[in-house]
Amino acid sequence: MTLYSPRTRRRRLGVATAAAGLLAALLAAGPVSATPDPGDKSAAPKSVSKSTEAEVEKAISAGDIPGQDEVVHSDNIQHVTNIPKDALPGTNSDLAFQGKYAFAGNYDGFRVFDISNPKAPKTVAQVLCPGSQNDVSVSGNLLFLSTDSSRSDDSCASTTQPASEKSSWEGMKVFDISDKANPKYVSAVETACGSHTHTLVPEKKNVYVYVSSYSPSATFPDCQPPHDGISVIKVPRSAPQKAAVVNFPVLFPGEGADGGGNPGAPTNPGVSKTTGCHDITVLPSKDLAAGACMGDGILFSIADPENPKVIDQVQDNVNFAFWHSATFNQKANKVVFTDELGGGGAATCNAEIGPDRGANGIYDITGKGDKRKLVFKSYFKIPRHQADTENCVAHNGSLIPVKGKDLMVQAWYQGGVSVWDFTDSTKPKEIGYFERGPLSTDKIQTGGSWSAYYYNGYVFSNDIAKGFDVLKINDSRTDPASKIRLGELNVQTQPDYFG
């Protein structure tokens, strides 16, 4: 199929009221635990109206959207293979890479793939260790796993337990992966409000871990408001069992229990109140970090990794509901922030929501040193309207390393995988895509690509429901990236591809 075939879908479904009502209900409900993302288990399907169901089926019949589970893609994208879930049935989450291995997080643990032959990845290990989100990173012989659900203890045999109980545990787990087929659990560090995501700042002797977490409550003994900072863990490579929190820098200083971040509603209706960060991306070669922190986007210095320092702070109280993640371009003069409108569980890639909400915000970085500023330039959202039964919003992606270009591959849940160009900050455009049709035509069922990352010539996607996908981009604009080879990739620790 051509890139701009009818499946780029200018869909005209008369379901504005139903879609808006469902989204409003999802946003009003708010997070039950420390996250609006899917919880410990896959979110329960949410029924839609009969009229919406009929409109979705009509759109499929007309070819305006792909059929249920149908795979479609642009001509320049090849679907190499799919590896379904196996021993770990939970929600698939983030990805990390080292040499010939891919590490795939899952709410029930993590899976290790040998990707030396991308056409036929082989499972090397599956580790059962429940605790959402189980975001995963690797550095040398160490693997790091985030736990952001309240557990009975820090073991891999733990069970769920209310956060209101003092004995409950959430935080970071550390594994030894010197033997990829037999990862060994070596230590754990409890952190305030758990670890929704984490970011590595690796050094020769130590690995620093920035732990992002949020949504405190006066009823949670280990997660008290205002919680306007991040936990910094220091992990000695030679003695990971000595890992410990060494600082809790406050990024949003302010008076009282509400701190100094975005106040959210009623001051800023529809915007998340800032009570911590969702995700941080560091660019160690430039001593920079970008934080996506609920109602705020921040730029900060990590010249002293134990004491990060905020340089600039921005808000978008018109179109951003939840600052979710960040990506620098290679020159470090731009940042792409994503807005996870609806928490990843709502249908927001439709005409009713429009092109500016649930999108990426592209910001230029101007000035020098501590006087650098984030300056908004434009939004980017996939141009392919999705069904109102498909959860779809901007999510995790990575740079495609091409000198002189700003190219990115990105997951959009059931919106699939998008390849796009933001070389011109004011005129971003999609140049390729891969997606499946809706999981369901009569309910919103959480699925689609959680993370889509470019690594050593291929795109690897961890699909929440369908498993591990391998894609190949065949395009003169991205072909030079195939010459860049990395020994390790944690996307939230961006490499200097050309240094």
Side-chain angles (χ1 to χ4, degrees):
M1 104 176 354
T2 59
L3 180 57
Y4 295 108
S5 72
R7 292 206 190 278
T8 54
R9 296 184 301 285
R10 293 185 181 89
R11 192 166 61 85
R12 296 182 295 273
L13 299 188
V15 293
T17 302
L22 178 60
L23 180 61
L26 287 167
L27 293 175
V32 175
S33 59
T35 166
D37 298 80
D40 242 349
K41 299 179 181 178
S42 296
K46 301 175 180 69
S47 297
V48 297
S49 68
K50 288 295 183 182
S51 60
T52 297
E53 180 182 349
E55 290 284 0
V56 171
E57 291 175 350
K58 180 180 177 182
I60 291 174
S61 298
D64 292 333
I65 62 173
Q68 190 170 353
D69 286 334
E70 179 188 0
V71 171
V72 298
H73 52 82
S74 53
D75 279 346
N76 57 354
I77 303 291
Q78 174 190 353
H79 188 204
V80 178
T81 193
N82 169 263
I83 308 298
K85 291 182 185 180
D86 189 13
L88 304 175
T91 296
N92 279 337
S93 57
D94 215 355
L95 294 168
F97 305 89
Q98 187 180 83
K100 66 177 184 178
Y101 299 100
F103 303 84
N106 178 286
Y107 280 34
D108 288 325
F110 64 93
R111 188 173 181 179
V112 184
F113 291 99
D114 180 339
I115 55 172
S116 53
N117 178 5
K119 296 179 181 178
K122 297 179 180 177
T123 299
V124 174
Q126 298 187 74
V127 177
L128 179 64
C129 196
S132 67
Q133 297 183 140
N134 276 342
D135 274 16
V136 61
S137 295
V138 293
S139 184
N141 288 330
L142 300 178
L143 179 146
F144 302 86
L145 204 64
S146 281
T147 301
D148 191 37
S149 60
S150 187
R151 313 296 299 179
S152 56
D153 56 50
D154 65 3
S155 76
C156 285
S158 68
T159 57
T160 58
Q161 183 170 291
S164 56
E165 293 188 23
K166 176 62 179 172
S167 63
S168 295
W169 185 91
E170 300 179 59
M172 289 299 308
K173 295 169 181 167
V174 184
F175 290 77
D176 183 323
I177 53 167
S178 50
D179 180 357
K180 303 295 188 293
N182 294 287
K184 298 188 185 312
Y185 185 13
V186 295
S187 65
V189 180
E190 186 171 16
T191 54
C193 301
S195 174
H196 190 70
T197 65
H198 68 269
T199 305
L200 305 186
V201 184
E203 297 188 338
K204 183 175 284 188
K205 292 184 178 180
N206 304 299
V207 180
Y208 288 97
V209 186
Y210 290 169
V211 176
S212 296
S213 55
Y214 54 96
S215 291
S217 169
T219 65
F220 299 163
D222 299 318
C223 182
Q224 292 286 300
H227 191 72
D228 268 349
I230 59 174
S231 297
V232 179
I233 298 174
K234 183 178 180 180
V235 185
R237 291 187 186 275
S238 60
Q241 69 276 9
K242 295 182 179 180
V245 174
V246 293
N247 196 9
F248 186 86
V250 175
L251 303 177
F252 304 98
E255 298 292 332
D258 291 335
N262 197 316
T267 304
N268 297 316
V271 178
S272 293
K273 175 183 175 181
T274 298
T275 59
C277 289
H278 178 278
D279 210 345
I280 291 168
T281 293
V282 298
L283 190 57
S285 64
K286 306 291 186 183
D287 286 335
L288 275 180
C293 303
M294 305 182 72
D296 295 87
I298 58 173
L299 182 70
F300 55 102
S301 167
I302 58 167
D304 178 357
E306 285 192 27
N307 298 282
K309 177 184 176 183
V310 175
I311 297 172
D312 195 24
Q313 174 182 352
V314 291
Q315 297 178 357
D316 178 346
N317 295 317
V318 176
N319 287 314
F320 259 49
F322 186 91
W323 296 67
H324 177 276
S325 51
T327 303
F328 288 100
N329 69 335
Q330 182 57 42
K331 290 183 179 180
N333 59 8
K334 299 176 189 175
V335 181
V336 174
F337 287 104
T338 67
D339 172 27
E340 196 185 38
L341 174 70
T348 71
C349 297
N350 52 30
E352 290 71 38
I353 299 300
D356 296 340
R357 302 181 65 210
N360 296 311
I362 303 167
Y363 286 74
D364 282 357
I365 301 174
T366 63
K368 295 182 179 180
D370 290 348
K371 294 185 178 180
R372 282 172 286 193
K373 296 292 182 183
L374 293 164
V375 180
F376 174 76
K377 288 298 179 178
S378 68
Y379 298 107
F380 170 78
K381 191 171 183 179
I382 56 173
R384 297 165 284 110
H385 288 163
Q386 305 297 306
D388 287 321
T389 57
E390 292 182 278
N391 62 303
C392 175
V393 76
H395 214 235
N396 293 0
S398 76
L399 290 184
I400 301 173
V402 175
K403 226 170 203 180
K405 297 286 186 182
D406 294 326
L407 305 173
M408 191 170 171
V409 60
Q410 186 177 10
W412 288 77
Y413 289 114
Q414 286 193 69
V417 175
S418 176
V419 180
W420 61 290
D421 184 335
F422 63 104
T423 306
D424 183 341
S425 300
T426 65
K427 296 180 180 178
K429 59 184 179 181
E430 183 172 79
I431 62 173
Y433 68 88
F434 164 88
E435 67 168 293
R436 292 181 170 90
L439 287 170
S440 171
T441 60
D442 62 0
K443 60 181 73 74
I444 289 191
Q445 186 173 331
T446 301
S449 180
W450 177 289
S451 298
Y453 299 145
Y454 186 94
Y455 178 69
N456 292 353
Y458 289 83
V459 172
F460 298 90
S461 167
N462 214 17
D463 187 289
I464 290 171
K466 296 297 184 181
F468 185 69
D469 286 305
V470 183
L471 310 176
K472 178 76 170 173
I473 311 172
N474 300 299
D475 192 299
S476 59
R477 293 165 289 191
T478 60
D479 286 346
S482 64
K483 297 177 183 178
I484 303 297
R485 296 283 153 170
L486 300 177
E488 195 169 88
L489 177 64
N490 302 294
V491 168
Q492 288 75 25
T493 306
Q494 283 191 220
D496 184 346
Y497 290 101
F498 306 110

